[in-house]
Amino acid sequence: MNGVLERTLGILELLSQHGEGMELAAIADLTGIPRSGVHRLLADLVRLGYVRQARGHGEYLLTTKLVSMGLSYLSNSGIVDIAQPLLNHLAEISGELVRPSVVDGERLTWVARAQGARQGLRYDPDMGSDARLSCSSSGWALMSTLSDDAALALVAKQGLGTPEQFGPAAPTSLQAVLAAVHETRERGYSLTVDTYSLGLSAMSAPVRFTGQPAIGVITIAGPTVRFTMERMQSLAPELLSVAQQLAAASGASPFFQLTAETAAPGDVKSRKPIYAV
């Protein structure tokens, strides 16, 4: 990593993946930053309140300051206010986890949730993470609104999610990803089983304006033993309806207004991320 800002952000991103904390030496090894440099950057992050050091131990952990900033941003952007009532409705009908994700530049990030399962198996992942486009139903839904070249460029840049890292049915080639994208484009929504995680089924529909790339994606996910292919297909009309309602309501969100204004049909490379505006 080159530059103080890049190194600092690299440390923050690494710590976000290790809730139990990390020792200085491990941070240095994984980021490739000299230990003396890591020590200086951590000292600044501790001073500014973004990182703390566990008392009596050497591990460094993130504080809730970044979380607070993220939640404040989502609140002020209007995304959750627009989506939550529709998420709750879809979760009640499906009895499964419902999540919206937003497109920000070349990233697809889950930002909210509504849990419909009241008992038994529940799929309940953390928010704030980026979807692996090649093997997630949300990724397939997003790419179905792009040209084939644009979709493949995104996957090539992010990398394939292999069966060892994700689910046993994860596509293992760009050709397989593109075939799934074509099926999604024809159907209007994606269907996945065991691609993102073993025992997980999911379906997603793009949130978009006609002829434009998706500005977001709405997803329903649940255990395969309960959330079967037949069950997913029966929920398709409701999922597509919610996606249309989210698109219609998106004009009330500054985030969606700004990202939609800079989008080019069939491509996300020209879409300016909200944080660059």
Side-chain angles (χ1 to χ4, degrees), residues 146-155 178 185 266-267 269:
L146 308 177
S147 68
D148 287 355
D149 288 343
L152 289 177
L154 287 182
V155 174
L178 193 58
R185 189 179 294 147
D267 196 356
K269 290 185 178 180

Side-chain angles (χ1 to χ4, degrees), residues 211-222:
Q212 294 291 319
I215 57 176
V217 175
I218 184 75
T219 300
I220 310 175

Side-chain angles (χ1 to χ4, degrees), residues 230-251:
E230 293 74 18
R231 177 60 176 155
M232 287 193 286
Q233 291 171 339
S234 71
L235 288 167
E238 196 68 37
L239 176 69
L240 293 171
S241 173
V242 169
Q244 292 173 353
Q245 293 177 67
L246 283 173
S250 63

Side-chain angles (χ1 to χ4, degrees), residues 76-247:
N76 292 325
S77 71
I79 294 173
V80 176
D81 292 339
I82 292 171
Q84 199 63 56
L86 292 170
L87 301 185
N88 294 341
H89 168 71
L90 196 53
E92 182 178 357
I93 291 175
S94 66
E96 304 294 350
L97 178 73
V98 176
R99 294 192 294 173
S101 50
V102 297
V103 179
D104 192 4
E106 297 180 352
R107 301 170 57 203
L108 182 62
T109 306
W110 291 301
V111 295
R113 72 177 67 165
Q115 179 58 261
R118 296 290 179 255
Q119 58 185 359
L121 294 173
R122 296 176 58 180
Y123 173 59
D124 201 5
D126 294 329
M127 291 186 295
S129 57
D130 293 347
R132 177 68 67 167
L133 301 180
S134 67
C135 59
S136 65
S137 69
S138 54
W140 293 1
L142 164 62
M143 292 189 291
S144 72
T145 68
L146 308 177
S147 68
D148 287 355
D149 288 343
L152 289 177
L154 287 182
V155 174
K157 183 173 182 179
Q158 189 186 48
L160 286 173
T162 65
E164 293 75 20
Q165 296 172 308
F166 291 89
T172 57
S173 68
L174 292 177
Q175 291 76 14
V177 173
L178 193 58
V181 170
H182 287 171
E183 291 180 3
T184 299
R185 189 179 294 147
E186 293 176 4
R187 190 189 299 116
Y189 59 93
S190 63
L191 294 171
T192 61
V193 178
D194 293 340
T195 61
Y196 201 77
S197 179
L198 177 63
L200 174 69
S201 295
M203 61 188 305
S204 298
V207 177
R208 63 186 303 205
F209 303 110
T210 303
Q212 294 291 319
I215 57 176
V217 175
I218 184 75
T219 300
I220 310 175
T224 301
V225 294
R226 182 178 67 222
F227 201 41
T228 62
M229 188 65 70
E230 293 74 18
R231 177 60 176 155
M232 287 193 286
Q233 291 171 339
S234 71
L235 288 167
E238 196 68 37
L239 176 69
L240 293 171
S241 173
V242 169
Q244 292 173 353
Q245 293 177 67
L246 283 173

